[in-house]
Amino acid sequence: MKILQTTGNRSLHMDQYCTMILLYLFNPIVTSLRGLQQASELKKVQKKLKCPRVSLDSLAESIAVFDSKRLKPIIAALGGFSPFTQVLSLVP
């Protein structure tokens, strides 16, 4: 079992993580974890998604901490609204 090192100043919550992942999946401009982090710095993105700036460390750590399987039904429900329905096969 891998022990995660935390600095204590990270506060990424599951709902914010889900929002960031959905932004990644349904926005063709965001193509990497760093791109997702950079998008979170934009005031318009923060306002629209009601999500604060997310650090790259928090995003990277969240991959191990949060269960991505919980996103599958959400993505499946939204899949009909996007031409990117192939992304469903990427979620375990």
Side-chain angles (χ1 to χ4, degrees):
M1 182 172 158
K2 182 178 177 184
I3 304 295
L4 297 175
Q5 293 181 336
T6 58
T7 60
N9 63 352
R10 296 184 197 139
S11 60
L12 179 65
H13 300 279
M14 180 68 175
D15 60 332
Q16 295 167 336
Y17 169 72
C18 291
T19 302
M20 291 287 111
I21 295 301
L22 291 171
L23 175 65
Y24 169 77
L25 291 174
F26 293 104
N27 187 329
I29 294 174
V30 180
T31 60
S32 67
L33 198 59
R34 181 167 300 280
L36 189 57
Q37 184 273 325
Q38 290 172 340
S40 79
E41 292 181 357
L42 300 171
K43 294 293 182 196
K44 186 173 183 177
V45 170
Q46 292 174 7
K47 185 177 178 182
K48 286 275 192 185
L49 301 181
K50 297 181 177 115
C51 192
R53 178 193 165 277
V54 179
S55 74
L56 190 58
D57 288 340
S58 292
L59 280 173
E61 184 179 42
S62 67
I63 293 168
V65 174
F66 296 126
D67 182 12
S68 62
K69 291 177 186 171
R70 296 178 70 187
L71 286 174
K72 196 167 186 174
I74 297 169
I75 296 168
L78 295 174
F81 299 109
S82 171
F84 303 105
T85 54
Q86 300 90 345
V87 297
L88 290 177
S89 64
L90 300 176
V91 178

